[in-house]
């Protein structure tokens, strides 16, 4: 059974790799969140890229940015090149989780459970093929847990100790998740080494001094690289304990969101299902051979929660994906314990059947089916395709045209517009004006009205005006003096072409007026000075 179980585990790893490579190979266009980071990778020289802050409220570790720059120098700045590191580390996370799970289970095949979970969780699959750093978080945090288990359970190994302290020193420069989890994990390993007489308290502190200083410097650098704005803070406010909503309400919100988005549980009973990984940790703690390492599975989660409670790091969405590997390994530990108990009471094959029944139950609650995974990846993530829209504009661009985009769409022009050679001096962005009174005959700047043709390219995911689709907000102020001659929807990104002269027989409705500003390069203010109007 051991050989068959091992084959099952590595088959699950291979399945997860195939899913990720397939998504990466699709070469999908950068979506808005990627574009916001890619604009800095494209435009900034290395000194500015690592010196920060990054454009448009983005945050990424300096070591990860350096790796991305090295890949782009070797392979170019295409979508697949920028996504190569996330792909490799996303696939590597599957391998490390398999190794970690094998250290916590007696029945080899049960180690396939966390691998299958990671292989199909939508967010983890998605970010394995996106130019973002979140798979670096999962890879390095899981690597830290694997090495920590080896240190705690294994005999003295100078090579392993050197690798441990090197990982603690380097990891914070590559991963924010590692930066958060490392102090608690290193502290736990140090306490166990002291209790077992391997190291004195002073010896532990001396060895941790170098990694601790490295972590502090990395944290200060990461803070400098991060550009914050009111929009960024308001987006993440629900995931940070501010005290306004009440302690219980905040906990209910963040834990339910974590159970559904990160662990893949269905909405029905998601909070109750969180008890399953907790039970898995309890089971691991109850076993003598895994008692000292059981706590490692939840320390990343504890660290993320404490930072969020202190208002220093959001406990939500993709930012806490690094907590997931330890918890899915805890689920495997729970199933493994069920198999062991039933096997001793009823026989080996009855125990295996009980374990499979438990896996099926978990699957009904959490496993992402291929159909649901395809739906999630196709429609719920990365649906705004600016590449196709701006390629269409570039193919039909004429001298004298102007391009107008929503303020939230500016990052698309800074990446795809610049790459396609669209004239930067003819690209403008719009945003709402403080006076929201709806009217007919909104004033427009001469830079727009002097154009022979106006292109409107807007995405609806970031509205220009509240509770209104951007395609409507952008065109409405023009309708008293322009007519629309073309419209197309390119995956939540609309293209509209306007020519002078109102549409015959159509009374323009009152609309919210807009202000206009140049798109500007990466790093230009999000609230750039508006152009004067006529």
């Amino acid at each position: 059974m051991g050989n068959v179980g091992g084959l099952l585990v590595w088959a699950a790893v291979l399945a997860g790799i195939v899913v990720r490579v397939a998504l990466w190979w699709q070469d999908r266009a950068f979506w808005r969140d990627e574009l916001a980071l890619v604009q800095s990778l494209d435009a900034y020289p290395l000194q500015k890229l690592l010196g920060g802050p990054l454009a448009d409220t983005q945050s990424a570790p300096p070591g990860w940015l350096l790796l991305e720059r090295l890949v782009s120098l070797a392979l170019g700045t295409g979508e697949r090149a920028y996504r190569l590191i996330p792909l490799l580390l996303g696939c590597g996370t599957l391998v490390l989780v398999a190794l970690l799970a094998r250290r916590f289970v007696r029945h080899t095949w049960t180690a396939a459970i966390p691998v299958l979970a990671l292989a199909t969780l939508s967010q983890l699959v998605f970010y394995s093929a996106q130019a973002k750093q979140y798979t670096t978080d999962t890879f390095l945090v899981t690597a830290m847990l694997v090495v920590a288990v080896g240190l705690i359970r294994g005999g003295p190994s100078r090579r392993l100790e050197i690798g441990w302290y090197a990982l603690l020193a380097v990891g914070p420069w590559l991963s924010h998740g590692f930066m958060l989890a490392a102090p608690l994990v290193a502290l736990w390993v140090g306490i166990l080494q002291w209790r077992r007489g391997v190291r004195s308290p002073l010896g532990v502190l001396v060895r941790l001094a170098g990694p601790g200083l490295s972590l502090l410097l990395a944290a200060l650098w990461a803070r400098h690289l991060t550009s914050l704005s009111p929009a960024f803070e308001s987006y993440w406010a629900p995931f940070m304990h501010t005290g306004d909503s009440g302690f219980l309400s905040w906990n209910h919100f963040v834990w339910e969101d974590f159970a559904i988005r990160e662990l893949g549980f269905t909405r029905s009973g998601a909070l109750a299902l969180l008890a399953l990984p907790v039970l898995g940790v309890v089971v691991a703690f109850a076993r003598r051979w895994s008692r000292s390492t059981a706590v490692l599975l939840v320390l990343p989660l504890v660290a993320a929660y404490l930072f969020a409670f202190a208002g220093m790091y959001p406990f939500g969405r993709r930012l806490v994906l690094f907590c997931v590997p330890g918890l899915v390994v805890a689920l495997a530990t729970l199933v493994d314990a069920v198999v062991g108990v039933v096997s001793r009471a009823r026989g080996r094959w009855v125990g295996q059947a009980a374990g499979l029944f438990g896996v099926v139950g978990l699957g009904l609650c959490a496993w992402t089916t291929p159909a649901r995974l395809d739906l999630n990846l196709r429609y719920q993530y990365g649906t705004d395709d600016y590449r196709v829209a701006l390629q269409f504009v570039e193919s039909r661009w004429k001298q004298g045209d102007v391009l107008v985009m929503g303020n939230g769409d500016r990052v698309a022009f800074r990446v795809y517009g610049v790459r396609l050679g669209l004239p930067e001096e003819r690209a403008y962005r719009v945003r709402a004006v403080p006076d929201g009174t709806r009217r007919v005959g909104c004033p427009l700047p001469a830079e727009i009205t002097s154009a022979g043709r106006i292109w409107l390219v807007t995405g609806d995911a970031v509205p220009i005006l509240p509770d209104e689709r951007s395609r409507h907000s952008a065109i409405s102020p023009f309708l008293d003096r322009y007519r629309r001659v073309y419209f197309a929807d390119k995956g939540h990104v609309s293209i509209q072409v306007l020519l002078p002269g109102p549409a015959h027989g159509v009374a323009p409705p009152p609309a919210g007026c807009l202000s206009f500003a140049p798109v500007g390069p990466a790093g230009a203010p999000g609230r750039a000075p508006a152009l004067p109007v006529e």
Side-chain angles (χ1 to χ4, degrees), residues 17 20-28 30 34 37-38 41 64-93 124-136 138-139 419:
I17 291 174
R20 283 155 174 76
V21 172
L23 182 62
W24 173 80
W25 189 252
Q26 289 177 13
D27 199 26
R28 299 165 81 174
F30 292 127
E34 287 181 286
L37 184 56
V38 168
L41 290 167
W64 185 87
L65 292 171
L66 178 60
L67 290 177
E68 285 290 314
R69 175 55 56 85
L70 293 175
V71 170
S72 68
L73 291 175
L75 302 177
T77 58
E79 284 84 347
R80 289 195 185 114
Y82 272 139
R83 293 166 175 164
L84 182 60
I85 290 174
L87 172 70
L88 294 176
L89 296 182
C91 295
T93 300
L124 283 164
V125 174
F126 180 70
Y127 284 108
S128 293
Q130 305 301 312
K132 301 293 287 187
Q133 68 270 23
Y134 306 119
T135 56
T136 311
T138 60
F139 178 84
R419 292 183 180 188

Side-chain angles (χ1 to χ4, degrees), residues 326-395:
L327 295 185
V328 292
V329 170
L331 288 174
T333 304
L334 179 61
V335 174
D336 185 71
V338 171
V339 173
V341 170
V342 177
S343 295
R344 288 191 293 271
R346 298 294 181 180
R348 176 185 174 188
W349 293 107
V350 176
Q352 302 288 355
L356 289 173
F357 180 80
V359 171
V360 172
L362 283 173
L364 293 175
C365 296
W367 185 63
T368 306
T369 64
R372 180 179 159 203
L373 177 62
D374 180 70
L375 177 69
N376 288 347
L377 297 178
R378 188 178 298 273
Y379 296 110
Q380 294 183 18
Y381 300 105
T383 55
D384 41 358
D385 191 345
Y386 290 98
R387 180 177 65 187
V388 171
L390 290 174
Q391 283 174 339
F392 181 84
V393 174
E394 187 274 334
S395 68

Side-chain angles (χ1 to χ4, degrees), residues 437-518:
T437 305
R438 293 181 173 270
R439 52 180 289 190
V440 175
C442 291
L444 300 172
E447 289 86 346
I448 305 295
T449 57
S450 62
R453 186 169 57 169
I454 300 173
W455 293 85
L456 300 179
V457 177
T458 53
D460 288 321
V462 180
I464 298 171
L465 298 176
D467 304 319
E468 185 173 290
R469 301 181 78 179
S470 291
R471 61 187 65 182
H472 300 145
S473 301
I475 195 174
S476 295
F478 290 92
L479 292 179
D480 64 317
R481 69 198 83 173
Y482 288 88
R483 67 185 187 278
R484 187 174 74 180
V485 296
Y486 179 82
F487 172 82
D489 189 331
K490 304 292 186 181
H492 288 198
V493 177
S494 63
I495 304 173
Q496 303 177 84
V497 180
L498 305 181
L499 290 178
H504 295 294
V506 177
C513 296
L514 303 172
S515 66
F516 298 78

